[in-house]
Amino acid sequence: MSGSNVFDIVVIGGGIVGMGIAYELSKRKVSVALIERKSQVTQGASKGNSGILHAGYDSPEGSLRAKLVTIGNRRYDDWSRELGLTVRRMGSLVVAFEDEGDAGMEHLNRLKERGERRGIPLEILGRKALLESEPNLNRKAVAALHAPTAGSICPMRYVNFMFKHFVANGGTPFLDTEVTGFVKNGGRITEIRTNRGDIIGEVVINAAGVFGDVVSSMAGIDRYRIYPRKGEYILLEPHPSYNVNKILFPLPTEKGKGILVIPTETGDILLGPTSYSMGKEFKEDTTTSLYGLNEVLEKARKLVPGLSTKLTVKTFAGNRAQSNTNDFAIEGYDEPSNFINAIGIRSPGLTAAPAIADMVVGLVEEKAGKLEMRSDFRYMPHVSHNQPEEALSEIRWADTITPNLDSPSIPLIDIAWNFGIRDNLYNFSCYTNRGLGVDLGTTFQNELIRQLARRGMKVEEILYRLRGSNQVISEAS
């Protein structure tokens, strides 16, 4: 195929799912485009996310979620090696308390039995071992289910790094571009209508997050309804009175996994999320509320009583894509014959993302034939995918560390600058050891702005994240 807006495959949606699909496809000998309605990727649920890699024991038996979460958990080792990023596998604990009685222990045993049937290593810790491993845990804890394969990542780093690899290897991004409809002919989608012109793809993949049902309906697949489920979070700097070593869960309920205490991949402490089902008109409502944040703190303190908000870095919220089927919808269709859905990706969608990408590549091959792998795929910075692990470990350039929170290192800025992060302060955090945001305090931002100005940037053009979020505004404007 040829033409500036004509591609073999078009992926709609630039979150961890859509970007993961586009990244894996860009390793093949096909032309791939990515359509994202925001001015940069990772601006949906992927930035309002706990960053947890779930072990996989919790999803319902027989669900697609249950199948893909365990595969995805393992596949993150491949993504982290390829991208030079980090998976922090500190493990997780589902904690039972005295007031939950025998029912609490029975619940832990059921989860353990379910997980072991799936091949997940699990053990139940008694009170003594539990409190020795977690000194700040509520002393009324009686036991916990330990899952050593659980862990934490920074979702923004993964999405941003996959995006840069995608572009560096010939992928075409259409940012600030919203799909408004499809033209169909002969049982196929022949054109993708957008607010910035038409795009043609031999295969069209819908990974549009909370808007996945809207895009699906445009294609004529109208059986899915996706409602935003809001989760509010509090991010804290670490402190001896509430630091934890593992991800702490309460016993799950029918409503979800509950409010967690999470030691992040970068060493901070994350609390949340709440779980509020919202109307479809609130798909982009990521406001936080005093009620929601109070709920986060109150319920998190049942796990860790010493929690305090005095060292709060920020609060934020994200909307999960809760489908009317309560499961992932990853499938192709007889009509439109060139359309694939990857929607309804609620928790544990982040964990399952690599496995979802693999599954979608398989669906593409069912429609378009076997896709040949490229031998010239370029891993940044110009390293071979086949290099031994020891060589790769020496160039984990994504983990360049700032000497302290007030002074971004020159090597860090050089790496990020050369990788194309020029005017966007938010994305510089992907190159620090504080990916969730501590490094973007005011002092850090001010010094970073000075460094970027020395590189020739006009300070009035420097953004925090999206268009309009300028960090320096002149009196004239």
Side-chain angles (χ1 to χ4, degrees), residues 23-316:
Y23 169 68
E24 289 297 332
L25 286 169
S26 67
K27 298 176 183 177
R28 275 81 177 171
K29 292 183 178 180
V30 287
S31 58
V32 187
L34 178 80
I35 300 175
E36 167 54 45
R37 63 196 298 270
K38 296 291 188 179
S39 59
Q40 61 175 278
V41 294
T42 191
Q43 293 306 301
S46 297
K47 74 172 175 60
N49 192 288
S50 61
I52 293 174
L53 297 188
H54 293 278
Y57 54 79
D58 190 53
S59 297
E61 292 282 5
S63 66
L64 190 55
R65 289 192 281 144
K67 176 183 177 181
L68 297 183
V69 62
T70 51
I71 301 170
N73 180 297
R74 293 191 297 269
R75 281 278 282 118
Y76 265 97
D77 290 337
D78 299 325
W79 274 6
S80 67
R81 185 179 67 254
E82 294 169 4
L83 300 170
L85 294 172
T86 301
V87 176
R88 184 183 173 199
R89 293 191 186 275
M90 74 286 283
S92 67
L93 297 169
V94 180
V95 184
F97 292 94
E98 291 174 356
D99 60 1
E100 290 160 335
D102 292 341
M105 286 302 303
E106 290 170 4
H107 200 147
L108 293 185
N109 282 312
R110 285 197 301 272
L111 291 175
K112 182 173 183 287
E113 290 168 5
R114 179 192 291 176
E116 287 176 339
R117 287 196 297 271
R118 299 173 184 176
I120 301 167
L122 297 165
E123 63 176 335
I124 292 182
L125 302 181
R127 183 199 294 264
K128 184 174 184 294
L130 178 58
L131 296 178
E132 284 177 355
S133 68
E134 294 291 350
N136 289 326
L137 185 65
N138 188 332
R139 311 310 284 182
K140 294 182 179 180
V142 294
L145 178 66
H146 175 218
T149 58
S152 179
I153 66 166
C154 177
M156 294 85 76
R157 296 171 95 184
Y158 274 80
V159 176
N160 274 286
F161 276 69
M162 286 192 290
F163 177 71
K164 291 300 177 182
H165 279 77
F166 168 76
V167 173
N169 286 280
T172 302
F174 291 90
L175 304 179
D176 262 339
T177 303
E178 183 173 357
V179 174
T180 57
F182 297 112
V183 176
K184 292 185 284 184
N185 187 26
R188 294 172 55 82
I189 292 172
T190 55
E191 293 179 50
I192 305 166
R193 291 278 164 84
T194 81
N195 62 328
R196 303 183 70 167
D198 295 344
I199 298 169
I200 296 172
E202 280 292 295
V203 178
V204 179
I205 300 167
N206 172 24
V210 292
F211 291 94
D213 57 341
V214 176
V215 175
S216 184
S217 294
M218 291 176 185
I221 310 297
D222 198 33
R223 58 179 173 268
Y224 296 108
R225 299 291 178 268
I226 294 177
Y227 297 89
R229 181 172 286 178
K230 181 186 282 191
E232 298 184 42
Y233 294 87
I234 302 172
L235 180 66
L236 306 175
E237 289 189 44
H239 190 274
S241 67
Y242 55 70
N243 288 343
V244 295
N245 299 310
K246 301 184 187 303
I247 302 163
L248 303 184
F249 291 82
L251 286 178
T253 68
E254 292 181 358
K255 293 184 178 180
K257 299 180 179 70
I259 303 293
L260 320 183
V261 179
I262 305 162
T264 69
E265 180 261 336
T266 58
D268 305 310
I269 302 296
L270 182 63
L271 312 178
T274 56
S275 181
Y276 304 135
S277 295
M278 312 285 283
K280 296 187 72 170
E281 67 273 23
F282 295 103
K283 286 179 183 281
E284 293 192 277
D285 179 2
T286 55
T287 55
T288 57
S289 66
L290 183 60
Y291 177 86
L293 297 176
N294 281 338
E295 179 186 349
V296 169
L297 186 60
E298 177 186 346
K299 292 184 176 178
R301 277 178 171 161
K302 181 176 182 181
L303 290 164
V304 181
L307 282 165
S308 167
T309 56
K310 290 181 180 179
L311 294 177
T312 298
V313 177
K314 63 181 177 181
T315 62
F316 63 95

